[in-house]
Amino acid sequence: MSSDEDTTVLPLSGGASATLVRRRAAANDRGAILYVHGFADYFFQEHVAEHYTAQGYDFYAVDLRGYGRSLRDGELPNYTTDIEVYFEEIDAAVAKVREEHSRVVLMGHSTGGLTTSLWAHERRAGELIDALVLNSPWLDVVEPPLMRRVVKLLGKVAPKAKVRANLGEAYGAAIHRSRNGEWDFDLRWKPLAGFPVLAGWIRAVLIAQEKVHKGLDVPVPVLVLHSDKSVLNAREWNEDVSKADAVLDVEAMRKWGPKLGTSVKVVEIKGGMHDLFLSARPVREAAFAEVDEFLKSA
């Protein structure tokens, strides 16, 4: 964490807590951005905060319960049986941000993109945010219907059953500076291979995605960004992994993105990795440019 940032613990029900990270702009005149990370992740993308504080936004990010700065000893990392449980910390974070800002942009990555979409739909009457920006949101899985039904049943009867030992190291090796990437992050909080994938968590994701597929009513302008292609199931790093989404299927983002609301813009970023803002410099600059242009009118 840089010296320009500070953190606030957000107490949650049941003794849990989340962590709100803040970096202030030297001259704030555009409101605030609140960032929500994905699975096997936490906020470490300081260059994203720097980009937006330079433009006059105060930048906030929340490490959800069980993730990153919020992970406590004895806590099962990155686990829930209901995606909507995270609404509590988003509510708390937005309330904190709105103490100082009347304009708030919500930004979600991957599973965070799924969570923030559902939150924005459920909280639509509150007029709490002004725009929603999604960086490679997880809107569907690639598994066939029968497999989905089996996993949902397993997740109900044995929620902590291990579906996968981890996510594999291909993507982690593409972004961490110790391997083939340029970024530094805490490998305790974001291991290169991620954390075990448990049945109850996958069931929660599937249930959340089914709500998206029925159509949401997010009332504010939505920007969905995704790579131009996916390279799934890579067992180890190769150059293609650094030029494509190696985690999620971009076709699902193309298909379901327009179902999020009545004002949705879906944009392809050529050569983008799963986290578009961690892609090669020209690619991430293209992603930033799309967001910047969108926010001018959102």
Side-chain angles (χ1 to χ4, degrees):
M1 187 176 69
S2 85
S3 58
D4 296 327
E5 295 174 340
D6 60 75
T7 60
T8 300
V9 174
L10 303 175
L12 305 172
S13 59
S17 63
T19 308
L20 186 65
V21 181
R22 177 179 63 189
R23 176 185 287 235
R24 291 188 181 276
N28 176 267
D29 59 4
R30 301 190 68 185
I33 290 176
L34 173 63
Y35 177 96
V36 181
H37 59 78
F39 177 69
D41 206 358
Y42 73 101
F43 180 72
F44 65 89
Q45 299 89 338
E46 289 193 5
H47 66 292
V48 178
E50 291 168 357
H51 178 84
Y52 288 106
T53 54
Q55 295 188 37
Y57 292 96
D58 280 356
F59 189 91
Y60 299 76
V62 60
D63 280 9
L64 303 171
R65 71 187 76 189
Y67 287 82
R69 300 166 181 83
S70 306
L71 184 61
R72 304 292 176 252
D73 290 342
E75 203 169 30
L76 196 57
N78 302 190
Y79 178 73
T80 185
T81 56
D82 183 359
I83 291 297
E84 294 188 8
V85 74
Y86 300 123
F87 287 8
E88 185 180 6
E89 42 258 69
I90 299 176
D91 286 340
V94 169
K96 195 76 174 174
V97 173
R98 287 183 66 85
E99 289 177 2
E100 299 183 8
H101 304 283
S102 59
R103 182 173 187 250
V104 179
V105 176
L106 187 59
M107 184 178 290
H109 168 58
S110 196
T111 314
L114 174 63
T115 305
T116 53
S117 296
L118 293 174
W119 179 91
H121 168 78
E122 293 295 336
R123 299 293 189 265
R124 60 190 180 278
E127 299 183 349
L128 298 173
I129 60 171
D130 296 271
L132 177 64
V133 175
L134 304 177
N135 170 3
S136 302
W138 193 12
L139 304 182
D140 203 359
V141 297
V142 297
E143 284 71 21
L146 177 60
M147 179 63 73
R148 300 179 195 212
R149 290 194 293 270
V150 170
V151 171
K152 281 181 68 177
L153 177 60
L154 179 62
K156 186 173 184 178
V157 301
K160 294 184 180 178
K162 192 178 296 184
V163 176
R164 290 180 61 179
N166 53 53
L167 303 176
E169 289 194 359
Y171 176 60
I175 59 176
H176 197 266
R177 69 180 185 182
S178 68
R179 302 289 286 277
N180 304 285
E182 59 178 296
W183 310 105
D184 189 24
F185 46 85
D186 193 320
L187 295 175
R188 297 170 301 167
W189 295 343
K190 184 178 175 63
L192 292 185
F195 292 104
V197 178
L198 305 184
W201 179 77
I202 284 290
R203 179 176 182 268
V205 168
L206 290 170
I207 290 171
Q209 290 173 343
E210 288 168 1
K211 294 178 181 179
V212 171
H213 301 169
K214 292 176 182 177
L216 301 184
D217 184 21
V218 176
V220 297
V222 180
L223 175 64
V224 177
L225 297 175
H226 62 76
S227 180
D228 60 317
K229 59 184 178 295
S230 292
V231 177
L232 302 179
N233 301 316
R235 294 182 179 274
E236 58 186 23
W237 179 85
N238 59 66
E239 289 189 3
D240 289 340
V241 172
S242 295
K243 300 176 183 177
D245 193 322
V247 179
L248 300 180
D249 179 17
V250 300
E251 292 300 328
M253 302 173 208
R254 292 190 181 105
K255 179 178 181 179
W256 298 113
K259 300 276 284 185
L260 297 175
T262 57
S263 178
V264 181
K265 183 179 182 182
V266 181
V267 178
E268 173 183 292
I269 303 297
K270 186 174 178 59
M273 287 198 288
H274 176 54
D275 187 338
L276 296 163
F277 297 145
L278 300 184
S279 303
R281 182 178 294 277
V283 179
R284 65 180 182 261
E285 288 180 349
F288 280 132
E290 289 289 349
V291 178
D292 297 348
E293 188 62 28
F294 170 77
L295 292 181
K296 288 179 182 178
S297 56

